[in-house]
Amino acid sequence: MTATAEERRQFASDNYAGICPEAWAAMAEANAGHAPGYGDDAWTARAADLLRDLFETDCEVFFVFNGTAANSLALASLCQSYHSILCHETAHVETDECGAPEFFSNGTKVLTLAGKDGKIDPAGVEWMVRRRADIHYPKPRAVSVTQATELGTVYAPDELKAIWAKAKSLDLRVHMDGARFANAVASLGCAPKEITWQAGVDVLCFGGTKNGMAVGDAVVFFDRALAREFDYRCKQAGQLASKMRYLAAPWVGMLAGGAWLRNARHANAMAARLHGRVEGLPGVKVLYPRQANSVFLELPPAVREGMRARGWRFYDFIGWGGARLMCSWDTTEADVDAFARDLGELARAQAA
């Protein structure tokens, strides 16, 4: 691989990107002097208040290191060990958490639903609940939706409200995996409350890492009663940061000036540009609607290997084998154009 290829921004994951300036500056500012530990500092209080302002409601907020912990602990707070969690078959809590939701809930079973373009629907939820009602079956207790989905699609407010209505009728709680929640808000152009508590979400795991932070998710309980003793869950799971200000301060930097949304809008725009540049290339098929910051492509094997030989990295174990291309807060038009140019050259050569 050439030096240029090694230094270029990649499309394998938005986790590849560095820390955005706003998050970095806030961490530097928080680094001055001493501050109380374990979340009793001014930065943590300010970050929690900013999230309450953002969602326009008096929610309970906790900060953890990563999405796996956020999702797993949040789901564990909704369930007993004999319960089950309903989610899409491609959901991160099913495919990429290494069994953590089951582990932290002491055995709650994850049950998967099919659904077009990475989304579940009310009929699928009801079918899974109604299929068995005997004591031998793990009783469904929670529905988990991923926003944006693992296939880059986005639930509209009405879709979420329909799932909520069905969940409520079946006595189910609603959890939202929001690793790319900012990208969903940017895509929809809505207020964050419209796709969370106003659409029936009980608890949101709001991802910061993919949005421009170093680490960190915010677990936001809109139903505060469900947050009872959640601080103990965090401590037991190794998620109570002793120097909590370094998890909280980036949220202040991102939220206070709106960088969280600017970053998401930019990443989405770069994905839209990429989609436009590669759609229609010979032998290249776009697999799912482009709604957030990802593009999924079906590539001929020779083209796929040719792109890797040119130094490009992308995942093909997500989205049923398609090449997943993720855009980040720092992806540039030049990055997109360079990738599209190489892909076009290889695709046309393959087709010739």
Side-chain angles (χ1 to χ4, degrees):
M1 188 182 294
T2 66
T4 301
E6 289 173 352
E7 294 167 2
R8 66 163 52 126
R9 281 175 286 267
Q10 292 284 351
F11 293 89
S13 174
D14 33 11
N15 288 325
Y16 278 38
I19 305 172
C20 72
E22 294 83 357
W24 187 269
M27 289 187 73
E29 188 177 348
N31 198 38
H34 283 209
Y38 301 104
D40 291 329
D41 60 281
W43 287 98
T44 302
R46 175 65 173 146
D49 284 342
L50 284 168
L51 283 165
R52 294 181 185 110
D53 291 344
L54 181 72
F55 290 103
E56 302 176 61
T57 192
D58 185 25
C59 46
E60 189 69 87
V61 179
F62 300 86
F63 298 101
V64 297
F65 289 102
N66 55 43
T68 296
N71 287 326
S72 302
L73 296 175
L75 286 165
S77 74
L78 305 181
C79 300
Q80 297 291 338
S81 59
Y82 49 83
H83 285 147
S84 57
I85 300 157
L86 312 185
C87 68
H88 193 273
E89 59 192 352
T90 64
H92 203 272
V93 297
E94 161 64 11
T95 64
D96 290 279
E97 305 284 30
C98 197
E102 294 93 335
F103 177 80
F104 283 106
S105 62
N106 294 313
T108 300
K109 187 173 179 59
V110 175
L111 301 176
T112 62
L113 309 175
K116 185 179 179 182
D117 296 332
K119 299 181 187 180
I120 61 173
D121 59 35
V125 171
E126 181 163 25
W127 181 84
M128 185 61 79
V129 173
R130 302 287 189 202
R131 65 182 298 202
R132 294 262 307 264
D134 58 272
I135 201 169
H136 305 286
Y137 189 69
K139 183 177 177 65
R141 177 59 66 199
V143 175
S144 179
V145 295
T146 312
Q147 180 77 313
T149 74
E150 289 297 295
L151 303 184
T153 54
V154 172
Y155 286 95
D158 286 347
E159 291 177 301
L160 292 170
K161 288 178 182 177
I163 292 170
W164 170 38
K166 183 59 65 178
K168 185 176 181 181
S169 74
L170 298 168
D171 194 26
L172 305 177
R173 294 294 189 175
V174 180
H175 160 265
M176 178 175 282
D177 175 356
R180 297 182 178 92
F181 179 77
N183 300 95
V185 174
S187 176
L188 293 166
C190 65
K193 65 181 178 181
E194 294 180 70
I195 53 171
T196 52
W197 61 272
Q198 285 189 339
V201 174
D202 292 301
V203 56
L204 164 72
C205 297
F206 189 169
T209 307
K210 295 173 174 61
N211 193 222
M213 299 185 198
V215 293
D217 272 46
V219 183
V220 183
F221 284 91
F222 300 107
D223 184 339
R224 295 175 67 97
L226 297 174
R228 183 175 178 270
E229 298 186 344
F230 191 76
D231 49 347
Y232 284 86
R233 289 188 183 277
C234 291
K235 174 61 180 179
Q236 186 181 61
Q239 294 295 316
L240 178 63
S242 54
K243 297 185 178 181
M244 186 68 78
R245 58 176 158 160
Y246 296 110
L247 283 185
W251 284 99
V252 175
M254 297 282 281
L255 294 169
W260 73 279
L261 190 54
R262 287 195 303 274
N263 286 353
R265 285 172 173 161
H266 175 78
N268 289 3
M270 292 300 98
R273 182 183 183 91
L274 179 60
H275 179 272
R277 291 292 307 273
V278 302
E279 188 178 30
L281 289 175
V284 175
K285 179 183 178 182
V286 177
L287 294 175
Y288 310 109
R290 200 292 310 163
Q291 295 178 333
N293 62 321
S294 62
V295 179
F296 285 81
L297 301 178
E298 182 180 288
L299 302 176
V303 173
R304 183 189 302 249
E305 295 312 310
M307 290 296 286
R308 287 188 167 130
R310 294 192 183 196
W312 293 107
R313 296 182 182 180
F314 46 86
Y315 293 159
D316 54 15
F317 61 87
I318 298 171
W320 305 146
R324 188 193 73 168
L325 309 174
M326 297 298 311
C327 294
S328 310
W329 69 268
D330 64 346
T331 302
T332 67
E333 292 184 356
D335 298 328
V336 170
D337 294 346
F339 184 95
R341 184 170 53 251
D342 280 355
L343 183 60
E345 290 175 1
L346 290 167
R348 293 185 187 98
Q350 173 74 10

